[in-house]
Amino acid sequence: MVIGYLQNSPHFGQKIENFAQIQLLAKGINANLLVLPELFATGYAFTSREEAADLAEISGGETTAFLSKLSAETGAVIVAGFAEKDGNQVFNSSIMIYGDSVIGIYRKIHLFNKEKIWFDPGNKPLEVHQINGMKIGMMICFDWLFPEVMRTLTLKGAQIIAHPANLVMPYCQSAMITRCLENRVFAVTANRIGRDIRGEDDFTFTGQSQITAFNGNILSSGHASKADSSTTDIDVHQADNKMINPFNDLINDRRENFYF
Ligand code: ACM
């Protein structure tokens, strides 16, 4: 299976320009799974909940249409972050798309910083989607700091974690080594680059998108400050074997009666 990321530099509110950036990065790529950053089309630093709501879309909106086209052109299942509107609610979501089909939507459950002003917290269970020979779970950015998320997706059968991100702290890329190692799953962290200076906020995003293997090996590491893309070929079934030696199975060895 060929899995990868597209790392762009969204300009706030400029969806058409941001689609064009992604289109350019995807040129010539054929893959089974491609992951795009969190909020790749809108940018990150909203100044109010109203502004987030104005840029948010329902599933089936123009961002969904763009991603369907991207899926058709690359042959890939696409996972990408978007601002999702559902009635009066606004979520920081990721969508999984294959061709014209929406395979699933995940609504970020651990909101970071002022996201608590801009968005509603996710209200749907963590899910794993089986598609084209892969079992894929989604999480978004700050979810990395809550090990329960990847553990839950692993217990639900995920082989690959698709992880759109807008990282501003320097720790996630290293932490993903442990997250993947402790769950024996693959992960694709698709981070953005660039800077959002809006209202009182000034965020610089750290790039270095990363494909991490089930054994903690880093299979690909993106540029820290330039747009980038990368794919790598993996044997997804390596994530099905949780044995690290003849005696230790990382899932079956858990001692649940000792944990909260
Ligand atoms: C983040 O969750 N976007 C830091």
Side-chain angles (χ1 to χ4, degrees), residues 1-250:
M1 292 291 168
V2 175
I3 64 174
Y5 56 79
L6 304 178
Q7 171 175 298
N8 72 325
S9 179
H11 287 175
F12 189 88
Q14 304 298 315
K15 286 187 192 175
I16 301 301
E17 185 193 330
N18 298 332
F19 293 160
Q21 286 182 9
I22 292 292
Q23 193 83 48
L24 202 61
L25 285 167
K27 204 168 166 20
I29 292 184
N30 280 293
N32 299 101
L33 171 67
L34 281 177
V35 185
L36 277 56
E38 179 183 12
L39 298 165
F40 82 95
T42 56
Y44 181 80
F46 301 95
T47 53
S48 66
R49 181 182 165 87
E50 290 67 35
E51 192 176 58
D54 280 348
L55 284 166
E57 299 173 33
I58 54 164
S59 163
E62 62 178 324
T63 298
T64 310
F66 168 74
L67 296 171
S68 287
K69 191 164 147 279
L70 187 68
S71 175
E73 285 167 3
T74 58
V77 173
I78 307 287
V79 172
F82 80 117
E84 183 195 5
K85 193 180 311 200
D86 183 6
N88 289 329
Q89 292 186 294
V90 189
F91 298 100
N92 182 347
S93 297
S94 64
I95 190 164
M96 187 185 298
I97 288 187
Y98 185 60
D100 286 336
S101 304
V102 175
I103 309 302
I105 289 183
Y106 165 67
R107 294 170 169 171
K108 188 175 186 179
I109 57 177
H110 299 105
L111 296 174
F112 175 73
N113 199 347
K114 290 188 184 170
E115 291 174 31
K116 291 196 177 194
I117 298 171
W118 309 328
F119 296 111
D120 294 286
N123 58 0
K124 290 164 67 167
L126 292 159
E127 280 181 330
V128 173
H129 303 281
Q130 190 155 1
I131 173 142
N132 296 354
M134 301 170 283
K135 295 177 189 161
I136 307 168
M138 293 186 279
M139 68 177 191
I140 300 176
C141 205
F142 191 48
D143 285 330
W144 72 267
L145 201 40
F146 299 82
E148 294 87 348
V149 175
M150 273 183 65
R151 178 48 56 90
T152 300
L153 291 170
T154 300
L155 292 174
K156 289 191 167 189
Q159 297 161 317
I160 306 172
I161 308 300
H163 182 207
N166 276 189
L167 294 161
V168 292
M169 295 193 294
Y171 314 110
C172 172
Q173 288 87 346
S174 308
M176 288 306 286
I177 295 172
T178 305
R179 289 287 97 78
C180 288
L181 192 56
E182 69 198 1
N183 291 294
R184 282 179 77 83
V185 293
F186 293 88
V188 182
T189 300
N191 193 19
R192 64 164 284 183
I193 53 160
R195 193 169 170 190
D196 271 4
I197 308 172
R198 304 199 71 253
E200 294 164 357
D201 291 315
D202 182 350
F203 295 109
T204 298
F205 302 92
T206 59
Q208 300 166 84
S209 296
Q210 183 168 295
I211 305 175
T212 316
F214 71 102
N215 56 4
N217 286 350
I218 295 175
L219 302 178
S220 173
S221 183
H223 201 281
S225 57
K226 289 189 184 151
D228 208 351
S229 64
S230 177
T231 59
T232 191
D233 202 354
I234 62 160
D235 174 2
V236 76
H237 294 295
Q238 288 179 310
D240 297 333
N241 176 9
K242 304 302 184 189
M243 303 292 293
I244 57 162
N245 62 43
F247 294 93
N248 292 115
D249 178 308
L250 288 185

